[in-house]
Amino acid sequence: MSVRFSDRIRSMNESPIRKLVPIAAAAKAKGKKVYHLNIGQPDITTPPSFLQSIRDFSQDVIAYATSPGDPKLIDAIIEYYKGYDMHFESDEVLITNGGSEALMFAMMALCDPGDEVLVPEPFYANYNAFSRCINVNVVPITTKAEEGFHLPSEAEIESRITPKTRAIVLSNPGNPTGVIYSREEMDMLSRIVRKHDMSIVADEVYREFVYDGLKYTSFGNLPEIADRVIIVDSVSKRYSACGARIGSLASKNKDFSKQVLKLCQGRLCVPTLEQVGATALYGTPTSYLDEVNEEYQKRRNTLYKALKEMPGVICEEPKGAFYVVIKMPVDDAEKFAVWMLEHFDVNNETTMIAPAEGFYSTPGLGRNEARLAYVLKDEDLAKAMDILKAGLEAYPGRVESAIPAM
């Protein structure tokens, strides 16, 4: 018997981050070591308070948590935000199943089917998945590697706005690009959303990963759009707790929180034990975050230095998160990634990258680009870069230089 699938599910693409995993698994099964630069899974140790708090938890019945989230976790997040001069009340923060659910809930609350959100591309590939699940259209704002993936002009962004545009969705610091938006860029977006009666969904899960002494400003620090900003957050990267799946939504717009609470009630609650662990994580000393920042900046330096020494590779130095998007002198980044896993090695070791075409919405863009996640310890990262350089030199589909953006 055949099953009729919805247009919604058929329109979704496989994850560009995960779809090559079976090929990597096959390479490993043959004894090849794979350096994973394809996924943002930190190797930093999760603070021990997470598991300890769960071990110390004592309750005869693991009951449903409240739909908005554990009040203790909400209070811990409110205290955390005070350190960034953002002041929320308990009914302005909702706990979600990871930042992923937070993003989807935000778009569901703001958009009807057929509505649009503007997103700077390249963007976190799952923005496409989340939006297509609810029949919302992503309208790309194209940014370029040669310009450090900074935003285009105000006029260009406004030219993408239609009567169906409801919000601008963006990550800051940027995934996959590592861009940090300047205060001038943020002020420009502030003007745009006020002029066109829109919202900003600010994915700020990499807030602590800002380098070179740059000052980070949250969209939550712009008072003139306080009621238009929805902050998406997560413990995944900040505390190296990706598997905990604890995220949050924060907004000074109380009506927004009231509406999203309906969605929270519909899915009942977020897991109780993970909320206990996450509450403990928010009590982690800032020294932990300082050390993590220092470690990632060191890794960024190792990766960027190696990339700049690779003939034909184009990239600008990333200033935040732990990613960079590079243009490579290859005919097709996905073919290259597969070739590296199946046919290339140095001393039986190879490097896995994430082809970047899936991080774009505009057809044809990103075909010769890749996202690299510098989440390995420094010596492994250096090896991975040496292997990537050798692979680019040996690849049968190599071209003279990185093809300019279309």
Side-chain angles (χ1 to χ4, degrees), residues 77-86 88 207 231 233 250:
I77 291 173
I78 288 172
E79 283 302 309
Y80 162 80
Y81 280 131
K82 286 178 182 177
Y84 287 90
D85 196 26
M86 291 185 277
F88 293 100
R207 186 180 295 109
I231 297 176
D233 225 324

Side-chain angles (χ1 to χ4, degrees), residues 91-312:
D91 60 348
E92 296 171 339
V93 177
L94 297 167
I95 308 304
T96 60
N97 287 288
S100 299
E101 186 179 72
L103 282 158
M104 188 177 293
F105 278 6
M107 286 193 277
M108 289 175 74
L110 297 173
C111 302
D112 287 317
D115 282 344
E116 300 169 350
V117 293
L118 299 182
V119 187
E121 67 175 356
F123 49 77
Y124 177 46
N126 277 338
Y127 290 177
N128 260 334
F130 303 148
S131 61
R132 287 177 181 174
C133 279
I134 55 175
N135 295 332
V136 171
N137 299 317
V138 165
V139 176
I141 303 168
T142 304
T143 65
K144 300 177 181 179
E146 297 88 345
E147 297 169 359
F149 296 105
H150 282 279
L151 296 174
S153 69
E154 191 164 346
E156 185 171 340
I157 294 174
E158 286 193 287
S159 72
R160 311 293 285 166
I161 296 173
T162 74
K164 288 185 173 292
T165 309
R166 296 290 176 260
I168 297 173
V169 179
L170 76 170
S171 59
N172 185 37
N175 174 12
T177 63
V179 67
I180 302 289
Y181 295 116
S182 68
R183 184 57 187 263
E184 289 74 21
E185 288 173 295
M186 295 175 71
D187 288 340
M188 173 179 69
L189 295 180
S190 171
R191 289 192 298 272
I192 290 172
V193 298
R194 282 179 285 148
K195 179 179 178 181
H196 296 277
D197 192 21
M198 296 157 52
S199 299
I200 290 180
V201 179
D203 180 351
E204 298 185 350
V205 303
Y206 297 96
R207 186 180 295 109
E208 275 73 23
F209 303 93
V210 176
Y211 313 123
D212 303 325
L214 288 178
K215 183 181 184 301
Y216 175 76
T217 301
S218 167
F219 279 96
N221 294 129
L222 305 184
E224 71 276 12
I225 53 171
D227 62 340
R228 297 180 181 274
V229 171
I230 296 123
I231 297 176
V232 171
D233 225 324
S234 168
V235 303
S236 291
K237 315 299 178 166
R238 179 173 302 126
Y239 299 114
S240 196
C242 298
R245 309 311 304 136
I246 295 293
S248 63
L249 281 169
S251 177
K252 295 302 295 180
N253 189 317
K254 290 180 182 291
D255 194 37
F256 170 84
S257 298
K258 182 178 179 181
Q259 299 302 325
V260 174
L261 179 56
K262 299 173 188 176
L263 297 170
C264 295
Q265 291 169 340
R267 58 89 164 107
L268 302 183
C269 69
V270 174
T272 297
L273 291 180
E274 280 74 6
Q275 292 191 74
V276 170
T279 302
L281 287 180
Y282 274 101
T284 303
T286 56
S287 58
Y288 170 87
L289 298 171
D290 293 340
E291 291 170 7
V292 170
N293 180 285
E294 184 177 343
E295 174 64 21
Y296 277 115
Q297 183 161 324
K298 177 182 174 184
R299 295 177 182 188
R300 188 280 310 266
N301 293 343
T302 296
L303 176 131
Y304 183 64
K305 180 177 184 295
L307 290 172
K308 295 304 284 185
E309 293 172 356
M310 294 184 194

